[in-house]
Amino acid sequence: MKWTVPSALLLLCIIFLLPDQGRKLHASAVGDSDELVDPPKVEENLGAIPHGLSTDSDVAKRESESISKRSLRSNAEKFEFQAEVSRLMDIIINSLYSNKDIFLRELISNASDALDKIRFLSLTDKEILGEGDNAKLEIQIKLDKAKKILSIRDRGIGMTKEDLIKNLGTIAKSGTSAFVEKMQTSGDLNLIGQFGVGFYSVYLVADYVEVISKHNDDKQYVWESKADGAFAISEDSWNEPLGRGTEIKLHLREEAGEYLDESKLKDLVKRYSEFINFPIHLWASKEVDVEVPAEDDESSDEEDSSESSPSEEGEDDSEKSDDGEKKPKTKTVKETTYEWELLNDVKAIWLRNPREVTDEEYTKFYHSLAKDFSEEKPMAWSHFTAEGDVEFKAVLFVPPKAPTDLYEGYYNTKKSNLKLYVRRVFISDEFDELLPKYLNFLKGLVDSDTLPLNVSREMLQQHNSLKTIKKKLIRKALDMIRKIAEEDPDESTDRDNKDVEKSGEEDEKKGQYTKFWNEFGKSIKLGIIEDATNRNRLAKLLRFETTKSDGKLTSLDQYISRMKSGQKDIFYITGSSKEQLEKSPFLERLKKKNYEVIFFTDPVDEYLMQYLMDYEDKKFQNVSKEGLKLGKDSKDKDLKESFKDLTKWWKTALAKDNVDDVKVSNRLDNTPCVVVTSKYGWSANMERIMQSQTLSDAKQQAYMRGKRVLEINPRHPIIKELRERVVTNPEDENVKQTAQLMYQTALMESGFLLNDPKDFASRIYDSVKTSLNISPDATVEEEDLEEAEVETETKEEAKVEEDIPASELKDEL
């Protein structure tokens, strides 16, 4: 009985405690599981709860982020990258030692383009921008160091679902091919922005990328890819609504952690995107001093010390308020806050006074404008303001190098490197009417205050003011190019070390025009062909080599200054190379008489000289055509008369070869004869160029081909001997064969292609037989065909026996 009552009480306590402990164990098990059972609901007065509760959307967001790091979302629509894109991404991802910084400038550049588009559309539809934050045209950069995410957001035009597939999954094959080719030759990833493939540079630093985009005409979508040959797109129901625009989230690689440093990002924006026309903000940390209440133990320590110090007692008394109450004790601590920091506050360079802009600023602006981030400076620039009927400001640059595709599809593309702004609003960079095609290598911008804003691009292109702008731009552009030549010491002939003080500056400009000509000389020639108004100005910019230039370039003005007294024509010759032309028989007499001849070796030169008929009252004369005059020679008439029988006979002998005439030449010295063409027909070089055209027309060639004239050298021993033999026996077959062979040889030496190379070769072999005293009737020794057949059969049988296995061969025997 003594232990019964306590035992009963203990048993009752255990019974009451067991259900509660079970509930605790069950709750603990639920907490350890991955799934929530009966998740908490959102309270109506959530703000009143001290720390709030986790909502269903928050949980979903965290789950989606954790899933995305492992693989693409399972509910997303999957796509395969275009083959060219995959090839491009492989190159970028494997560029381990390249400059990875360029990804940020490419993303900011793309964001700027998107903002330009929405601003242009807002000119005719103001409601397209929306209200509040959506109307702010800006770029925002944000870091999440904990998750290693770098985000770049713009409030631009945004992308629809179709835009995401088209813009981020495919790319122009030509652009990719050009980029890959350039990468193989130079290996410089800085070129990536020039080929429209800038977005894919994100994979230099990220192994997973999300693109969240909202267009006014579509829902908000997420594009995501791990650069594994596929990407996925899904409707966005978990991220913050953008309103409009695009946000790119880069999940950085381990080795790209440096891009989570704010100072690093500030430096990159300063270097590459300083002149972007929209504000770029960074969510930057900042330490500020904050007054906070002092802790109780510190306050008591201060009170103890104040009792022992009379001076401190006085200070303590001074902290009392007017009512005699003591103020609470405080202390100053450092606290980290975050705010948007503006990174590009530089004024648009074209709005500033040219005298206030330094060379370094012009160079930086060119690199930003042209997306050319090499170390080279532009060759020249022109910054000016035009006033009058049309007012505008412009900056033009001559790039240091010509792009690889400058002349590809020259007449079919509308590509322009000139940006048009109207009242600081970017309109377009596709106005091919602002500059003629031959100047499309120039880069720059035009900003006008007088052009209308609220019209379409097609209507603006027909605006009369554009014609005025075009005229002024051409004049300024040609003046800028001419200035390169004037400031080049190699171009000046009358400057005899007069400017000794400027020697350093001259060294920098030495050879600049030669460099310009090697890069863009063909554009100047195309300008002479296309622009009749400025033909004379462009002709002054022409450069070429001559028989007296010693391998250096010379101008038409310099050529005229060296002309012989009494010389009325400017002599030139066309061909495939300078080395070939230097040995041309057409130059023999000209060199002997000390005349200077221009070498034209570019295929476009043949077209050029059809338009450039004269310069400074001097006519151009092709020395390989009829009409060459080298002064009067009293013996000409006598020579023509003495060779009259030969020329008449030779013309008859060449009747089948469509030779128009045979004449005594005034241009030969050591060569027996040459073939020249009529003055207004194609030259030999032009015939060769036209025959090599893929879609050439044989009928047109027959019509345009110049009449051929055989010119003979009356002082050459071969020609003299032929004359004697023709007079003696005009029907001699050997003489006819020799005359035919000499004509065919002259055709080849004059640059023509033979119609029947086999006939020419046969005549050469016959001539060789004669020189070796071999009978013309000698034939090739016949081959013994029977022996050859027997030998072949023996070899075949031996081969068969080798192929038969030894066991089968034994059975056979």
Side-chain angles (χ1 to χ4, degrees):
M1 289 296 293
K2 185 169 67 172
W3 295 101
T4 301
V5 174
S7 299
L9 290 173
L10 179 62
L11 182 61
L12 286 172
C13 290
I14 291 172
I15 291 171
F16 280 113
L17 288 172
L18 276 175
D20 185 56
Q21 190 66 25
R23 282 192 296 271
K24 288 183 179 179
L25 290 171
H26 177 69
S28 177
V30 171
D32 293 338
S33 67
D34 291 333
E35 297 181 0
L36 289 174
V37 178
D38 296 327
K41 304 299 181 182
V42 181
E43 302 283 345
E44 290 184 2
N45 57 346
L46 182 62
I49 300 174
H51 300 290
L53 297 173
S54 296
T55 63
D56 292 336
S57 61
D58 289 337
V59 174
K61 182 177 179 180
R62 286 197 301 272
E63 287 179 351
S64 66
E65 287 177 349
S66 63
I67 291 171
S68 68
K69 290 180 181 179
R70 294 197 298 271
S71 61
L72 303 183
R73 292 177 177 85
S74 58
N75 62 341
E77 191 175 353
K78 306 293 192 304
F79 299 88
E80 295 291 327
F81 277 116
Q82 183 189 18
E84 283 77 16
V85 176
S86 296
R87 183 185 178 197
L88 175 72
M89 291 169 73
D90 286 340
I91 293 174
I92 292 174
I93 292 168
N94 295 320
S95 300
L96 300 177
Y97 304 105
S98 299
N99 178 18
K100 298 181 177 6
D101 296 346
I102 63 170
F103 83 92
L104 187 62
R105 79 151 194 247
E106 295 302 325
L107 294 184
I108 291 177
S109 179
N110 291 345
S112 175
D113 292 342
L115 291 166
D116 274 327
K117 288 177 182 177
I118 195 67
R119 184 163 68 169
F120 178 69
L121 292 175
S122 68
L123 300 179
T124 52
D125 183 6
K126 294 193 179 293
E127 294 183 358
I128 199 170
L129 286 179
E131 299 177 350
D133 289 342
N134 285 340
K136 296 179 180 177
L137 300 181
E138 60 185 359
I139 301 168
Q140 295 177 337
I141 304 173
K142 203 168 186 178
L143 297 172
D144 188 336
K145 295 183 180 181
K147 297 179 181 178
K148 295 184 179 178
I149 296 176
L150 173 61
S151 302
I152 295 95
R153 175 179 176 178
D154 65 74
R155 301 184 190 277
I157 194 168
M159 288 181 279
T160 63
K161 181 181 178 181
E162 294 302 318
D163 292 336
L164 287 168
I165 298 171
K166 180 181 177 183
N167 297 342
L168 304 185
T170 62
I171 195 170
K173 186 175 181 180
S174 59
T176 311
S177 302
F179 171 71
V180 171
E181 182 182 346
K182 195 69 177 176
M183 274 290 295
Q184 289 172 345
T185 55
S186 67
D188 184 8
L189 269 179
N190 270 312
L191 298 165
I192 193 168
Q194 300 177 26
F195 295 94
V197 295
F199 167 76
Y200 302 101
S201 63
V202 295
Y203 290 103
L204 288 168
V205 297
D207 52 10
Y208 173 75
V209 177
E210 294 177 276
V211 180
I212 307 157
S213 196
K214 173 68 173 71
H215 191 281
N216 284 341
D217 298 336
D218 206 345
K219 299 176 182 177
Q220 183 166 312
Y221 284 92
V222 176
W223 178 100
E224 54 181 334
S225 175
K226 298 176 67 178
D228 54 358
F231 63 93
I233 296 178
S234 52
E235 186 178 338
D236 188 3
S237 58
W238 54 88
N239 287 303
E240 174 190 354
L242 296 181
R244 185 196 66 252
T246 301
E247 181 177 2
I248 300 176
K249 290 184 177 180
L250 308 182
H251 296 254
L252 299 176
R253 300 177 181 178
E254 289 294 331
E255 62 270 21
E258 60 184 305
Y259 299 106
L260 294 172
D261 183 6
E262 293 176 9
S263 59
K264 172 78 172 179
L265 295 178
K266 290 178 184 178
D267 290 341
L268 292 180
V269 172
K270 184 76 173 175
R271 186 192 311 170
Y272 293 124
S273 308
E274 184 177 7
F275 296 102
I276 292 292
N277 296 316
F278 299 95
I280 303 173
H281 292 101
L282 174 67
W283 187 245
S285 60
K286 184 179 179 182
E287 286 192 346
V288 295
D289 293 332
V290 179
E291 294 287 336
V292 296
E295 295 180 3
D296 293 341
D297 54 348
E298 292 181 3
S299 300
S300 60
D301 292 341
E302 289 177 6
E303 287 177 2
D304 293 340
S305 60
S306 64
E307 290 176 0
S308 60
S309 173
S311 60
E312 290 181 7
E313 285 180 11
E315 289 179 5
D316 187 59
D317 293 339
S318 65
E319 291 182 1
K320 293 180 180 179
S321 64
D322 297 338
D323 299 334
E325 297 181 358
K326 274 189 178 182
K327 289 183 179 179
K329 292 285 184 178
T330 61
K331 65 176 181 178
T332 303
V333 296
K334 298 287 185 182
E335 187 174 298
T336 302
T337 61
Y338 288 85
E339 62 182 19
W340 291 111
E341 181 181 339
L342 182 63
L343 302 183
N344 59 331
D345 55 353
V346 179
K347 185 181 179 183
I349 201 170
W350 64 90
L351 301 179
R352 296 164 59 186
N353 188 328
R355 297 177 182 175
E356 299 174 355
V357 186
T358 64
D359 290 357
E360 289 75 15
E361 288 178 309
Y362 279 121
T363 302
K364 282 184 179 180
F365 181 65
Y366 164 75
H367 287 158
S368 176
L369 182 75
K371 296 183 180 180
D372 177 7
F373 295 92
S374 63
E375 296 296 326
E376 292 187 82
K377 294 170 59 177
M379 288 191 201
W381 55 81
S382 179
H383 182 187
F384 60 93
T385 301
E387 297 178 350
D389 297 338
V390 180
E391 295 184 359
F392 67 91
K393 295 177 174 63
V395 184
L396 299 177
F397 292 93
V398 178
K401 288 184 179 179
T404 53
D405 59 344
L406 180 59
Y407 302 108
E408 290 181 12
Y410 178 79
Y411 291 105
N412 299 325
T413 59
K414 291 187 176 182
K415 184 178 68 174
S416 174
N417 291 316
L418 213 60
K419 296 179 182 291
L420 176 64
Y421 287 78
V422 176
R423 301 171 203 170
R424 268 63 67 199
V425 176
F426 174 73
I427 303 299
S428 177
D429 56 1
E430 297 178 1
F431 277 105
D432 54 340
E433 292 300 319
L434 274 178
L435 276 179
K437 285 187 179 295
Y438 69 88
L439 289 177
N440 63 1
F441 64 89
L442 297 178
K443 299 183 184 292
L445 62 83
V446 177
D447 189 355
S448 174
D449 288 337
T450 54
L451 288 174
L453 269 173
N454 55 346
V455 294
S456 65
R457 188 173 66 83
E458 289 73 16
M459 292 177 64
L460 187 58
Q461 193 143 351
Q462 303 300 323
H463 202 275
N464 290 331
S465 298
L466 283 182
K467 295 180 180 178
T468 307
I469 293 175
K470 181 178 181 178
K471 287 181 182 178
K472 294 183 178 180
L473 287 175
I474 292 174
R475 190 177 70 251
K476 287 288 186 180
L478 297 183
D479 288 344
M480 174 176 60
I481 296 170
R482 178 178 50 80
K483 192 176 179 182
I484 299 176
E486 290 177 351
E487 294 179 349
D488 188 347
D490 290 345
E491 288 282 319
S492 180
T493 56
D494 55 354
R495 186 191 305 173
D496 300 326
N497 298 323
K498 293 179 181 178
D499 301 329
V500 181
E501 298 176 357
K502 297 182 180 179
S503 58
E505 185 180 347
E506 286 187 353
D507 287 343
E508 185 180 346
K509 295 177 179 179
K510 189 178 178 66
Q512 279 293 93
Y513 195 77
T514 301
K515 180 182 177 183
F516 167 83
W517 184 257
N518 292 335
E519 295 290 336
F520 307 107
K522 188 175 289 187
S523 295
I524 301 299
K525 295 175 182 178
L526 290 169
I528 293 174
I529 296 171
E530 299 169 5
D531 191 352
T533 306
N534 295 290
R535 188 163 290 156
N536 194 59
R537 285 185 177 184
L538 288 161
K540 288 184 178 294
L541 302 174
L542 269 179
R543 295 295 182 270
F544 37 77
E545 290 186 55
T546 72
T547 52
K548 292 184 178 181
S549 65
D550 296 326
K552 296 181 180 179
L553 294 178
T554 190
S555 65
L556 287 173
D557 290 329
Q558 291 170 340
Y559 177 93
I560 291 175
S561 69
R562 296 194 293 260
M563 285 174 65
K564 289 181 63 176
S565 60
Q567 181 182 344
K568 296 180 179 179
D569 296 336
I570 299 174
F571 299 126
Y572 73 92
I573 185 171
T574 60
S576 57
S577 70
K578 176 190 170 186
E579 291 73 19
Q580 173 217 346
L581 293 178
E582 284 177 327
K583 301 172 184 176
S584 173
F586 296 109
L587 302 182
E588 291 176 356
R589 194 87 182 275
L590 290 159
K591 286 182 178 178
K592 195 169 184 178
K593 290 197 170 189
N594 201 29
Y595 285 102
E596 186 174 10
V597 183
I598 296 171
F599 296 137
F600 282 131
T601 56
D602 194 337
V604 77
D605 292 334
E606 286 285 354
Y607 301 93
L608 166 71
M609 299 314 295
Q610 294 176 22
Y611 292 88
L612 192 63
M613 308 300 294
D614 56 73
Y615 178 79
E616 301 292 344
D617 298 328
K618 304 288 184 183
K619 299 287 185 181
F620 285 92
Q621 173 63 52
N622 189 335
V623 299
S624 67
K625 289 188 175 184
E626 278 186 310
L628 180 65
K629 295 179 181 179
L630 300 176
K632 294 182 179 180
D633 193 336
S634 58
K635 297 181 181 180
D636 284 352
K637 288 185 179 180
D638 296 336
L639 283 171
K640 288 179 181 178
E641 189 64 29
S642 64
F643 282 87
K644 186 175 182 180
D645 293 337
L646 177 61
T647 55
K648 187 178 180 180
W649 173 86
W650 211 336
K651 180 180 178 181
T652 304
L654 297 175
K656 294 181 180 179
D657 295 285
N658 297 320
V659 175
D660 189 59
D661 202 359
V662 179
K663 295 180 179 179
V664 173
S665 178
N666 66 339
R667 72 185 89 208
L668 296 176
D669 185 37
N670 299 319
T671 304
C673 56
V674 291
V675 178
V676 300
T677 55
S678 55
K679 191 168 184 178
Y680 299 105
W682 284 346
S683 65
N685 188 50
M686 188 65 172
E687 275 192 34
R688 189 169 60 252
I689 291 171
M690 294 307 297
Q691 287 177 7
S692 65
Q693 300 296 318
T694 307
L695 303 176
S696 58
D697 187 350
K699 292 181 180 179
Q700 183 188 16
Q701 288 181 15
Y703 176 74
M704 289 299 298
R705 193 179 70 179
K707 294 180 179 179
R708 295 174 181 176
V709 176
L710 177 66
E711 290 193 0
I712 60 175
N713 184 355
R715 290 172 293 276
H716 201 281
I718 295 178
I719 302 300
K720 287 181 177 181
E721 181 64 24
L722 274 176
R723 180 183 62 175
E724 298 301 326
R725 295 203 180 195
V726 167
V727 171
T728 304
N729 183 9
E731 299 300 323
D732 187 345
E733 288 298 323
N734 288 332
V735 175
K736 288 182 179 180
Q737 289 286 345
T738 302
Q740 185 70 31
L741 181 59
M742 288 187 66
Y743 170 69
Q744 290 178 328
T745 306
L747 270 177
M748 287 184 58
E749 192 175 18
S750 301
F752 292 93
L753 297 176
L754 294 177
N755 293 329
D756 190 356
K758 179 66 176 176
D759 179 62
F760 172 70
S762 297
R763 294 181 191 277
I764 291 290
Y765 295 145
D766 290 342
S767 178
V768 171
K769 282 181 181 179
T770 304
S771 66
L772 296 175
N773 295 320
I774 298 173
S775 171
D777 299 327
T779 58
V780 178
E781 185 180 345
E782 292 289 339
E783 182 184 0
D784 191 348
L785 296 177
E786 292 183 0
E787 284 188 12
E789 288 176 1
V790 170
E791 186 177 344
T792 304
E793 289 176 1
T794 305
K795 287 182 178 179
E796 288 179 354
E797 289 174 0
K799 180 74 170 63
V800 170
E801 288 181 1
E802 285 178 6
D803 294 340
I804 298 174
S807 58
E808 293 183 15
L809 187 62
K810 184 178 179 181
D811 296 339
E812 225 175 272
L813 293 171

